[in-house]
């Protein structure tokens, strides 16, 4: 039999073959889609159960343990031991809408620890026994692959009510951080999108563990993540901000404040700048970028001098003479012009004039 496909004369209507069964299946599919108003949806086996689990009231109570506490009467801290789902439900009574930040570190669902069926406390072997995957002697009856669909669904069913209740606890400017790795990062982001809203996702912090597994079949899995979601990103942005001081920043700022406080009739701002410059240049543990902040202004703020000259493309830069805001004299224009285009320089000059 030849490997070459049979030639079909498209001008001959009798030579065209149509799979009527396939056409009928496609027709039925489109009819059903229209009837169901088909749309994008994130769902899994057990989602309804997880939804009702989040809404179900708790039958538990919190019991104080003064004998295991430190300064029980005066402490403002609360440490709860127990099932975290029940604890989240109990906290709704007193802390609804009052928490500014939540951090959780849920199981990563690697498939090697335990699964989350029923009370979410069964070991994998116990769960396999209940489902008939292992017999009483422990002999495996069915190969239990991680990709069989159970792992992700059970994890989602477990984490959904916890995230739902956690959101209820957050204040309008509150935010939650969730640690996770590659096993469930995709599902976690979809779940946070559903619970918090896509516009309220506040970003993902990536942690490079730098210890990739040597037996990886593809790209090494060496990252973990912290996914952030705000109750309301607009309100969060108005009152809060993500801020991490640069390395050695606190040391530099403390020293600058110490020197600036010495200013008096005999110790001028110029003297303070000289002492601060000598100190920062003597610090061998500071980077070149950190040492560049070698100036103090009249308010004691640390700053660095930045050249306003254009580094390249002089034909696109402004060559407009500028008036110095303090001396009132015109400054000389750099050979390649200013760093900015003429429109920007003119606008900034106008703003300086009307201040």
């Amino acid at each position: 039999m030849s490997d070459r496909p049979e030639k079909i004369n498209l001008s001959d209507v009798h030579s065209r073959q149509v799979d009527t069964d396939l056409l009928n299946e496609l027709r039925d599919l489109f009819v059903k889609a229209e009837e169901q108003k088909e749309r994008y949806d994130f769902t899994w086996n057990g989602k309804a159960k997880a939804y009702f689990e989040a809404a179900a009231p708790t039958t538990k109570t919190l019991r104080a343990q003064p004998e295991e506490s430190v300064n029980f009467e005066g402490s403002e801290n609360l440490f709860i031991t127990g099932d975290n789902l029940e604890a989240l439900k109990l906290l709704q009574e007193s802390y609804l809408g009052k928490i500014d930040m939540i951090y959780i570190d849920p199981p990563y669902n690697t498939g090697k620890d335990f699964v989350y069926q029923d009370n979410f406390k069964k070991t994998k072997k116990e769960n396999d026994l209940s489902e008939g995957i292992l017999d009483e002697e422990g002999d495996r009856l069915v190969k239990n692959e991680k990709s069989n669909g159970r792992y992700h669904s059970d994890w989602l069913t477990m984490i959904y009510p916890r995230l739902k209740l956690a959101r209820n606890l957050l204040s309008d400017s509150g935010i939650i951080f969730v640690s996770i790795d590659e096993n469930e990062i995709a599902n976690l982001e979809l779940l946070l999108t559903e619970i918090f809203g896509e516009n309220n996702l506040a970003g993902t912090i990536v942690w490079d563990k730098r210890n990739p597994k040597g037996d990886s079949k593809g790209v090494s899995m060496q990252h973990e993540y912290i996914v952030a979601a705000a109750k309301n990103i607009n309100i969060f942005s108005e009152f809060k901000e993500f801020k991490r001081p640069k390395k050695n920043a606190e040391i530099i700022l403390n020293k600058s404040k110490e020197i600036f406080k010495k200013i008096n009739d005999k110790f001028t701002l110029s003297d303070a700048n000289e002492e601060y410059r000598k100190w920062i240049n003597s610090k061998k543990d500071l980077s070149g970028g950190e040492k560049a902040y070698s100036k103090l202004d009249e308010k004691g703020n640390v700053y660095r001098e930045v050249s306003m000259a254009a580094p390249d493309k002089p034909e696109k830069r402004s060559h407009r003479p500028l008036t110095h805001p303090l001396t009132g004299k015109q400054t000389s224009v750099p050979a390649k012009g200013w760093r900015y285009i003429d429109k920007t320089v003119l606008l900034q000059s106008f703003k300086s004039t009307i201040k």
Side-chain angles (χ1 to χ4, degrees):
M1 184 176 178
S2 174
D3 292 334
R4 296 172 64 101
E6 182 184 351
K7 280 189 175 182
I8 299 176
N9 183 5
L10 295 180
S11 63
D12 182 4
V13 68
H14 298 292
S15 68
R16 305 178 197 174
Q17 296 182 5
V18 178
D19 190 335
T20 56
D21 291 336
L22 178 59
L23 286 177
N24 289 331
E25 288 179 11
L26 288 172
R27 181 197 63 193
D28 292 341
L29 178 63
F30 282 110
V31 170
K32 289 180 180 179
E34 180 61 23
E35 290 175 350
Q36 297 173 1
K37 300 298 182 182
E38 185 180 30
R39 60 186 176 84
Y40 173 80
D41 191 21
F42 177 49
T43 189
W44 65 92
N45 185 11
K47 185 175 184 179
K49 175 185 175 182
Y51 180 85
F52 286 111
E53 184 64 61
T58 181
T59 58
K60 308 296 183 181
T61 57
L62 290 177
R63 181 170 60 87
Q65 294 182 298
E67 67 280 1
E68 297 186 15
S69 304
V70 177
N71 188 21
F72 180 78
E73 296 296 334
S75 177
E76 296 182 356
N77 302 310
L78 182 64
F79 187 89
I80 301 175
T81 303
D83 186 298
N84 53 37
L85 181 60
E86 299 298 334
L88 284 167
K89 291 182 178 181
L90 289 167
L91 290 174
Q92 307 287 313
E93 300 175 9
S94 302
Y95 293 91
L96 188 68
K98 295 181 180 179
I99 305 298
D100 287 328
M101 190 191 82
I102 296 175
Y103 169 73
I104 63 172
D105 186 14
Y108 285 1
N109 205 29
T110 61
K112 296 179 179 179
D113 43 7
F114 59 93
V115 293
Y116 318 102
Q117 289 279 349
D118 300 325
N119 60 5
F120 308 119
K121 294 179 181 177
K122 287 184 180 179
T123 65
K124 186 174 184 299
K125 184 175 181 180
E126 289 171 340
N127 189 77
D128 288 344
L129 280 169
S130 69
E131 294 187 4
I133 296 174
L134 295 181
D135 61 18
E136 293 294 332
E137 282 69 39
D139 297 322
R140 185 170 294 279
L141 301 177
V142 179
K143 190 175 182 181
N144 183 31
E145 296 285 351
K146 184 178 179 181
S147 60
N148 67 8
R150 181 187 66 185
Y151 289 95
H152 295 298
S153 294
D154 288 348
W155 186 85
L156 286 164
T157 301
M158 180 275 300
I159 198 66
Y160 178 88
R162 289 160 173 82
L163 290 175
K164 190 80 172 177
L165 292 168
R167 183 186 182 279
N168 294 342
L169 293 174
L170 288 174
S171 64
D172 289 340
S173 61
I175 192 167
I176 187 172
F177 297 92
V178 186
S179 283
I180 203 68
D181 71 358
E182 280 97 337
N183 286 285
E184 293 293 353
I185 176 67
N187 283 325
L188 175 64
E189 289 180 333
L190 288 172
L191 198 56
L192 289 172
T193 296
E194 176 163 317
I195 295 174
F196 287 81
E198 185 175 4
N199 293 334
N200 290 318
L201 297 185
T204 300
I205 301 169
V206 181
W207 171 35
D208 185 355
K209 297 184 294 183
R210 298 185 181 180
N211 58 341
K213 298 178 181 179
D215 59 349
S216 175
K217 295 181 180 179
V219 178
S220 300
M221 295 178 65
Q222 67 180 64
H223 298 103
E224 290 189 15
Y225 309 88
I226 302 177
V227 186
K231 181 78 168 283
N232 185 311
I233 195 66
N234 294 324
I235 299 177
F236 172 82
S237 301
E238 183 178 353
F239 295 99
K240 312 284 177 62
E241 65 177 341
F242 289 121
K243 192 174 183 180
R244 185 185 71 174
K246 291 184 178 179
K247 183 181 179 182
N248 298 320
E250 187 174 353
I251 297 173
I252 293 173
L253 293 175
N254 288 338
K255 187 63 178 181
S256 66
K257 290 177 182 177
E258 175 189 323
I259 295 175
F260 188 76
K261 287 180 180 179
K262 295 167 62 176
I263 293 180
N264 54 35
D265 293 340
K266 296 182 180 180
F267 189 80
T268 65
L269 177 60
S270 178
D271 297 325
N273 266 290
E274 181 65 17
E275 182 175 332
Y276 174 69
R277 183 186 63 79
K278 289 181 178 179
W279 172 83
I280 201 167
N281 287 333
S282 69
K283 304 300 291 183
K284 296 181 179 180
D285 55 339
L286 297 182
S287 67
E290 291 167 335
K291 287 185 177 181
Y293 289 86
S294 58
K295 299 286 186 180
L296 298 177
D297 66 15
E298 64 279 1
K299 295 182 179 179
N301 297 315
V302 174
Y303 71 97
R304 61 178 295 180
E305 292 183 335
V306 179
S307 173
M308 295 298 293
D312 55 11
K313 300 180 180 178
E315 69 280 1
K316 295 185 178 181
R317 310 293 181 171
S318 174
H319 293 264
R320 181 184 300 274
L322 298 178
T323 302
H324 195 284
L326 298 180
T327 64
K329 298 179 179 180
Q330 282 195 343
T331 58
S332 57
V333 179
K336 293 184 178 181
W338 301 110
R339 178 178 293 269
Y340 305 103
I341 61 176
D342 195 60
K343 181 179 179 181
T344 303
V345 171
L346 183 61
L347 180 61
Q348 291 301 322
S349 177
F350 176 72
K351 287 182 178 179
S352 299
T353 303
I354 64 176
K355 282 184 177 178

